[in-house]
Amino acid sequence: MPLAASAPSLTASPLLFFPRLVEWQRRHGRSGLPWQGTRDPYRVWLSEIMLQQTQVTTVLGYYSRFLERFPDVRTLAAAPQEAVLALWSGLGYYSRARNLHRCAQAVVEQWGGAFPASAEQLQTLPGIGRSTAAAIAAFCFGERISILDGNVKRVLSRLLAFDGDLATLAQERRLWALAQDLLPAAPSHDEMVAWTQGLMDLGSSLCSRSKPDCAACPGTGLCLASAQARTGEFPVRTRKLKRSTVEWWWLLLRRPDGAVWLERRPAEGIWAGLYSLPTYGSRAEGLAAFGGEPALRQEHETLRHTLTHRDLVLRPLELDWSAALQEAPGSACAAPGLWVQHQSDLDLGLPAPLRSLLERLLPA
DNA sequence: GACGCGTGGCA
DNA sequence: TTGCCAAGCGT
């Protein structure tokens, strides 16, 4: 490598990173993932949405099943939202699934069933933000445009010793502009694919958060943070997560045949649109809704479930449901719902802890 | 601009 | 245990 490793310049040297990373990706990057090796915008889009804030190993279990059920954008657009949520169940961030569904309908109705071919147009669609639009445009259309996800923020902030606070939008925009500046004037489609994939591959392997392997990195000699032994200082991000605890009482209404009543959650908030158990903020409130203490059959073990910003304490109360009272609890809950009797009835959008609970309680 | 939104992995 | 983070977006 004819490279001056001693005094990397802020202006010229970073441009050498592009060919280095492209070459590294082709030799050492990930290949063979189910969504790689295609330029079909539908498949790339689906993978990008699933991979938002979600690790590759988690997505692997969902992607193929989803494609099998919804092989193209028209099939997805024509499906009921519930069917989409059912296949998304357990993947989290369910607004992604709702927006995915809306996006498919927009592609069919506004674009004749073909995804638009530029990042600018892609970004107008529901659930497709700046980074996802760039990823689809780069992978599928070879557009000269940069992504900026968590991996890229780490890689580039180290490469450039960028010390702006990425908790602020202004600094994020600065880094985005720098990312765009790293691109050559006229990259080929194949180069844009390798570069985009390479940024993510590098960030998820060598350029890891805690122990980056700088010796093996294609940025050796270019990376300012590495040269200054300051990789631990980047990226800078001051935002702190504050998490609060919420206590929910879950009612397990049991029919004599063992079936359990589920109701659909509201369209906004936690687990929006998913099926769950009737939920109350206190024990007394929950019991009062369905016959009080006499109906109480069992207090189940308390469950704890952590969301991004909430620690949920879930207290399931099992109540006898007397069919003599009403045909379905829905009228009492003022919510649409259904009875589930067997594990095979759980082909529904369910929160992860509830699926786990029901799989223990219901017979196969 | 800051916060709400799931789940699982890891140090 | 606890906190942080992962192919972010919408509001």
Side-chain angles (χ1 to χ4, degrees):
Chain A
M1 298 283 181
L3 178 72
S6 53
S9 145
L10 263 176
T11 52
S13 284
L15 288 176
L16 293 175
F17 187 54
F18 185 91
R20 290 250 206 118
L21 183 65
V22 165
E23 180 63 15
W24 176 85
Q25 202 287 325
R26 288 171 176 164
R27 288 175 184 271
H28 306 291
R30 288 178 288 199
S31 62
L33 293 170
W35 46 84
Q36 291 182 297
T38 179
R39 292 181 178 180
D40 176 2
Y42 177 71
R43 293 177 176 237
V44 171
W45 163 68
L46 176 63
S47 73
E48 290 299 328
I49 302 298
M50 284 189 166
L51 286 160
Q52 288 171 3
Q53 302 288 282
T54 308
Q55 297 192 344
V56 168
T57 53
T58 303
V59 169
L60 284 174
Y62 285 83
Y63 181 77
S64 302
R65 227 179 323 136
F66 198 98
L67 260 188
E68 208 168 301
R69 171 70 178 77
F70 304 115
D72 53 65
V73 70
R74 291 184 186 279
T75 308
L76 178 56
Q81 188 197 70
E82 283 195 35
V84 180
L85 286 173
L87 279 180
W88 205 271
S89 186
L91 199 51
Y93 280 149
Y94 298 97
S95 65
R96 291 184 296 171
R98 298 193 302 275
N99 284 331
L100 188 86
H101 190 219
R102 288 205 298 135
C103 182
Q105 294 173 335
V107 167
V108 169
E109 291 164 15
Q110 297 171 21
W111 298 94
F115 280 82
S118 75
E120 186 179 355
Q121 290 170 316
L122 286 163
Q123 205 186 331
T124 67
L125 292 164
I128 301 183
R130 186 170 174 180
S131 190
T132 300
I136 299 170
F139 281 135
C140 299
F141 309 116
E143 184 171 333
R144 179 183 178 277
I145 192 155
S146 175
I147 59 170
L148 190 67
D149 58 29
N151 284 323
V152 182
K153 286 175 184 173
R154 185 167 54 254
V155 170
L156 295 189
S157 65
R158 284 172 174 169
L159 179 75
L160 305 169
F162 179 89
D163 62 1
D165 181 358
L166 291 173
T168 72
L169 199 56
Q171 295 303 318
E172 187 178 301
R173 272 198 288 261
R174 275 190 62 214
L175 186 57
W176 214 307
L178 292 171
Q180 194 69 17
D181 289 343
L182 292 176
L183 300 173
S188 70
H189 189 152
D190 285 347
E191 285 175 329
M192 281 308 303
V193 171
W195 164 258
T196 303
Q197 186 67 50
L199 282 173
M200 298 187 287
D201 291 351
L202 187 61
S204 69
S205 59
L206 303 183
C207 197
S208 62
R209 183 166 61 98
S210 54
K211 289 181 181 176
D213 186 357
C214 297
C217 181
T220 301
L222 302 174
C223 178
L224 291 179
S226 175
Q228 300 167 11
R230 295 171 60 205
T231 55
E233 298 178 31
F234 305 98
V236 178
R237 186 178 156 282
T238 60
R239 193 165 126 201
K240 296 282 188 282
L241 177 69
K242 51 183 179 208
R243 185 175 292 150
S244 55
T245 299
V246 178
E247 200 168 11
W248 280 353
W249 274 259
W250 265 358
L251 295 193
L252 270 159
L253 303 178
R254 281 275 203 172
R255 271 191 335 207
D257 64 2
V260 171
W261 176 253
L262 301 182
E263 64 178 33
R264 211 163 175 212
R265 289 187 55 79
E268 295 190 350
I270 293 171
W271 298 331
L274 272 61
Y275 281 96
S276 189
L277 297 168
T279 302
Y280 295 87
S282 76
R283 186 180 186 280
E285 189 187 348
L287 282 176
F290 294 98
E293 292 285 351
L296 182 62
R297 179 193 287 190
Q298 184 183 354
E299 302 203 20
H300 287 264
E301 188 178 353
T302 296
L303 309 173
R304 293 172 198 283
H305 188 77
T306 304
L307 308 178
T308 302
H309 57 296
R310 292 275 189 281
D311 272 325
L312 298 182
V313 178
L314 303 166
R315 305 192 182 280
L317 298 177
E318 183 169 340
L319 273 61
D320 281 316
W321 174 257
S322 165
L325 295 178
Q326 280 164 310
E327 182 140 331
S331 47
C333 300
L338 78 170
W339 293 99
V340 289
Q341 191 170 3
H342 303 287
Q343 291 178 23
S344 56
D345 297 330
L346 300 182
D347 193 16
L348 300 165
L350 298 173
L354 179 57
R355 181 174 299 282
S356 171
L357 175 66
L358 292 176
E359 283 177 352
R360 293 196 303 271
L361 289 178
L362 296 178

